[in-house]
Amino acid sequence: MNSNLNLVPSLIPVLDNSGDNSNTFIYKGFIDILQHNYYINIKVNFINNKIDLLKFECDCNLNSLIINIKPQIEQRLAKCDSISDYVLELKNLIENNLKKCGQNLINMDYLNSTEFYKSVVRHVESIGWKNLVKANTTFTELVFAHEENGRLHEIVMLLNESFPIKEPSYCTELPGKFTFDWNQSSSLAEVYANFINEVNSYSQFWDEMKMIDETCWVLEPVRPSKADCHRRIKLDINVSMEIKVDARNPTELPEIFFLGSETATETFRRKLESKYDEWNSNISIVYNLGELLEIKLPGKCEQEEVDIWLISLSVYVMKIS
């Protein structure tokens, strides 16, 4: 084993077999911060007696303590020569930052309470364990899923020490902000039910956006999320169109902006201005745009075929020249 593997009692080294490098190790275990243990996962590569950090993962509670000092941590840890130095430096940086800011560590005693976990289990059971797709080791971060029209949607619920008196935090990928009117008698099942209703209410919006992505040459976003309401669509070699769709009324006329030179966009603007009143909310956005602009919106695959043909033609011309 590499001589630089200075072990620390709370971490277990495991040789990484995913690659060809025999000097890559994964360290799993716990780090003590002000008498509280936090899970960490460190992947490192030993090069010329130096540590090359490949990946650092930790639980959500520790992440909340380091999120504001991550750049400083990365800079300082890059100078460490061993795992023990790395862990010690990480520990000192976090503790000193907490003391410097006059912050007190969040009271984590509730994680040792059986009542807390009994309460969480009751809430999860009311939703159904089959709908729980992910949870952290302390069960303070729960991820529930719901399938809608072949699309999988997730809601992350972050519990705190005052749960269920205090409302959890939520994280979703919806085009609108997710809210819930929580009170002391509320349940996670009610939150989940409300989430399902919200998801289903956006079903037509996602159908419309899917049609745009599948039939048009979408320039931006490159990898659309379920929360994205805008698309930039290529119309011509020098012209693109930015549209912003109302997620609650997806077949209504969206906001439209043409991008390009004044000369290149003039024809498209005139056509749209003269046909605003012809927008039909009973048909798709793609069909409406084609009708108003009097064109067939180019698809990316079609343009790729043209590009391939042009390249082939260029090669042929070069050969016979």
Side-chain angles (χ1 to χ4, degrees):
M1 183 176 287
N2 193 306
S3 60
N4 283 313
L5 293 182
N6 298 326
L7 305 182
V8 291
S10 56
L11 294 179
I12 299 176
V14 179
L15 181 64
D16 181 21
N17 295 318
S18 61
D20 298 328
N21 195 338
S22 61
N23 289 324
T24 301
F25 287 81
I26 298 174
Y27 288 82
K28 298 182 179 181
F30 296 87
I31 182 173
D32 177 81
I33 305 293
L34 298 178
Q35 298 182 341
H36 289 278
N37 289 322
Y38 299 95
Y39 176 77
I40 58 174
N41 184 337
I42 307 170
K43 184 176 181 180
V44 297
N45 191 24
F46 291 98
I47 303 176
N48 297 326
N49 297 326
K50 292 288 184 179
I51 286 184
D52 178 24
L53 178 65
L54 302 179
K55 184 173 67 172
F56 174 80
E57 295 178 340
C58 61
D59 62 39
C60 63
N61 296 313
L62 179 58
N63 187 64
S64 67
L65 300 179
I66 68 174
I67 192 167
N68 294 324
I69 57 171
K70 278 187 176 180
Q72 180 185 358
I73 288 177
E74 292 175 358
Q75 191 176 43
R76 295 277 293 275
L77 296 184
K79 301 176 182 179
C80 295
D81 295 326
S82 67
I83 286 295
S84 57
D85 290 344
Y86 182 99
V87 175
L88 182 60
E89 186 72 11
L90 179 64
K91 172 183 171 70
N92 290 337
L93 281 171
I94 297 173
E95 292 185 347
N96 290 337
N97 181 67
L98 292 174
K99 293 172 183 177
K100 180 180 177 181
C101 298
Q103 298 176 355
N104 291 319
L105 202 62
I106 298 173
N107 181 13
M108 306 297 286
D109 291 340
Y110 70 99
L111 295 180
N112 297 320
S113 168
T114 57
E115 289 303 315
F116 172 79
Y117 287 106
K118 285 181 180 178
S119 175
V120 173
V121 168
R122 285 195 298 268
H123 282 269
V124 174
E125 286 179 342
S126 64
I127 295 175
W129 287 98
K130 65 179 181 180
N131 298 311
L132 180 68
V133 295
K134 194 184 302 181
N136 65 349
T137 55
T138 58
F139 257 58
T140 54
E141 181 178 333
L142 308 174
V143 183
F144 296 95
H146 167 65
E147 185 175 338
E148 164 272 331
N149 201 16
R151 294 177 283 256
L152 190 66
H153 304 269
E154 295 182 346
I155 178 171
V156 181
M157 302 187 191
L158 300 173
L159 313 184
N160 51 67
E161 71 273 13
S162 300
F163 177 80
I165 297 174
K166 186 177 179 181
E167 181 177 12
S169 300
Y170 315 114
C171 182
T172 64
E173 195 178 32
L174 299 175
K177 184 178 180 180
F178 178 79
T179 59
F180 182 81
D181 189 14
W182 182 273
N183 57 61
Q184 293 188 22
S185 61
S186 296
S187 67
L188 296 184
E190 292 172 323
V191 175
Y192 181 67
N194 192 55
F195 170 69
I196 291 176
N197 290 335
E198 283 290 287
V199 166
N200 293 338
S201 71
Y202 290 118
S203 185
Q204 188 178 16
F205 164 75
W206 285 313
D207 287 342
E208 290 291 330
M209 303 309 277
K210 179 182 179 182
M211 183 179 295
I212 293 173
D213 292 334
E214 290 181 347
T215 60
C216 301
W217 188 344
V218 176
L219 300 175
E220 294 176 348
V222 177
R223 293 180 178 83
S225 72
K226 298 184 185 74
D228 288 323
C229 297
H230 72 284
R231 295 291 190 274
R232 185 162 76 90
I233 302 169
K234 190 175 183 67
L235 297 180
D236 204 343
I237 189 169
N238 295 318
V239 182
S240 62
M241 172 178 58
E242 178 93 19
I243 66 171
K244 185 177 181 181
V245 180
D246 182 350
R248 290 298 185 187
N249 303 286
T251 58
E252 295 295 326
L253 179 67
E255 296 180 26
I256 301 176
F257 307 93
F258 293 105
L259 304 173
S261 68
E262 189 75 19
T263 304
T265 60
E266 183 181 1
T267 302
F268 293 106
R269 285 202 313 273
R270 278 194 285 102
K271 288 180 179 179
L272 184 63
E273 290 169 359
S274 65
K275 290 192 169 188
Y276 266 127
D277 296 337
E278 297 182 22
W279 184 273
N280 185 350
S281 300
N282 295 318
I283 59 179
S284 71
I285 293 176
V286 172
Y287 187 82
N288 266 306
L289 291 173
E291 289 293 298
L292 266 60
L293 300 177
E294 299 177 352
I295 62 170
K296 182 181 184 298
L297 297 176
K300 190 170 185 179
C301 58
E302 294 174 1
Q303 185 60 35
E304 286 176 344
E305 290 175 1
V306 172
D307 291 342
I308 292 172
W309 179 80
L310 289 174
I311 292 171
S312 301
L313 179 61
S314 300
V315 172
Y316 176 74
V317 171
M318 289 173 65
K319 285 182 177 180
I320 63 176
S321 297

